[in-house]
């Protein structure tokens, strides 16, 4: 998605050789109009899948929520698939039974539990996973695990920014998972971001 690559170049900030900060438009302050474009592009990438073949869009809190909602609206503004997000914190109000797994967070350098109330991810549901970044693939693989635990069916994984050099995309694609990434970064060197 050229618009996204241009925006990463103009407003993104390389952090060392491993990370990109896109907090001015994607995951701290949100450019809502741009987010709608991202949702529309995610929908286009899965354009062969009709609305009635996607029961739910799944993401991980918190930065994936905005793009998951935009993608849901792009599927059908009048009847969007519900967005469910895996929770990292365990709120006292989450008293239901949950699907649960642990993922390694490379941004936080620690293991994080993610969980979804069983009532929001059910056997047989067709699920599209959406997230902001795909780096080492831990978050996406954790979400896939929750889908498997639930006995739901994975339709694919839609990613806004994939960093190819961290191997998460390869990990998922090797398992036969369909991964669509709107921008794929090959390298971050001396503050310069190079795309595929
Ligand atoms: P993974 O689990 O694939 O290693 O990392 C994916 C998660 O880590 C994403 O959900 C995202 O929140 C965070 N993340 C990974 N790389 C970056 C990055 O370069 N910039 C930002 N802002 N977040 C990242």
């Amino acid at each position: 998605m050229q618009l996204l690559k241009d925006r990463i170049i103009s407003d993104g900030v390389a952090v060392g050789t491993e990370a990109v900060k896109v907090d001015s438009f994607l995951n701290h302050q949100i450019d809502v109009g741009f987010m709608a474009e991202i949702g529309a592009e995610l929908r286009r990438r899965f354009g062969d899948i009709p609305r009635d073949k996607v029961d739910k869009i799944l993401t991980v809190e918190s930065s994936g929520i905005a793009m998951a909602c935009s993608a849901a609206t792009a599927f059908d503004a009048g009847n969007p698939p519900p967005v469910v997000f895996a929770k990292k914190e365990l709120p006292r109000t989450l008293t239901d039974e949950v699907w649960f797994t642990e993922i390694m967070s490379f941004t936080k350098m620690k293991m994080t539990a993610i969980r979804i109330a069983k009532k929001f991810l059910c056997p047989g549901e067709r699920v599209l996973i959406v997230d902001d970044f795909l780096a080492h693939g831990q978050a996406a693989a954790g979400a896939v695990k929750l889908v498997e635990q639930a006995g739901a069916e994975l339709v694919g994984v839609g990613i806004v920014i994939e960093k190819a050099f961290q191997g998460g995309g390869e990990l998922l694609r090797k398992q036969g998972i369909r991964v669509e990434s709107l921008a794929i970064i090959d390298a971050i060197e001396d503050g310069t971001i190079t795309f595929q």
Side-chain angles (χ1 to χ4, degrees), residues 7 11-13 15 20-31 63 132-133 161:
R7 191 70 185 264
D11 294 349
V13 179
V15 182
V20 186
K21 231 170 124 170
V22 285
D23 57 356
S24 65
F25 63 99
L26 207 73
N27 53 22
H28 193 163
Q29 169 174 269
I30 296 172
D31 179 337
S63 47
D132 59 342
F133 277 90
I161 304 171

Side-chain angles (χ1 to χ4, degrees), residues 129 134 136-138 140-145 148 154 157 167-179:
I129 293 173
L134 176 61
H136 298 88
Q138 283 281 306
V144 169
K145 260 189 215 150
E148 286 169 357
L154 182 65
V157 177
E170 198 186 347
L171 187 90
L172 298 177
R173 291 183 181 102
K174 262 197 199 153
Q175 295 171 45
I177 295 171
R178 175 176 178 184
V179 182

Side-chain angles (χ1 to χ4, degrees), residues 18-22 27 60 63 88 103-107 131-140 163 166 168 188:
E18 297 286 311
V20 186
K21 231 170 124 170
V22 285
N27 53 22
V60 179
S63 47
K88 292 178 181 159
I103 58 174
M104 176 69 189
S105 166
F106 287 93
T107 41
D131 206 2
D132 59 342
F133 277 90
L134 176 61
H136 298 88
Q138 283 281 306
K163 290 179 290 175
Q166 287 168 336
I188 308 167

Side-chain angles (χ1 to χ4, degrees), residues 58-125:
L58 168 64
T59 189
V60 179
E61 75 171 352
S62 59
S63 47
I65 297 173
M67 44 226 80
C69 290
S70 289
T73 309
F75 262 89
D76 185 345
N79 177 31
V83 169
V84 60
F85 56 93
K87 287 183 179 264
K88 292 178 181 159
E89 301 299 327
L90 182 57
R92 285 169 66 168
T93 47
L94 185 55
T95 51
D96 308 285
E97 277 192 67
V98 294
W99 309 116
F100 171 93
T101 190
E102 284 192 305
I103 58 174
M104 176 69 189
S105 166
F106 287 93
T107 41
K108 298 192 178 123
M109 285 311 285
K110 63 170 191 181
M111 293 300 287
T112 306
I114 57 169
R115 47 182 79 75
I116 293 178
K118 288 187 178 179
K119 65 183 175 191
F120 295 134
L121 191 59
C122 304
E125 282 184 326

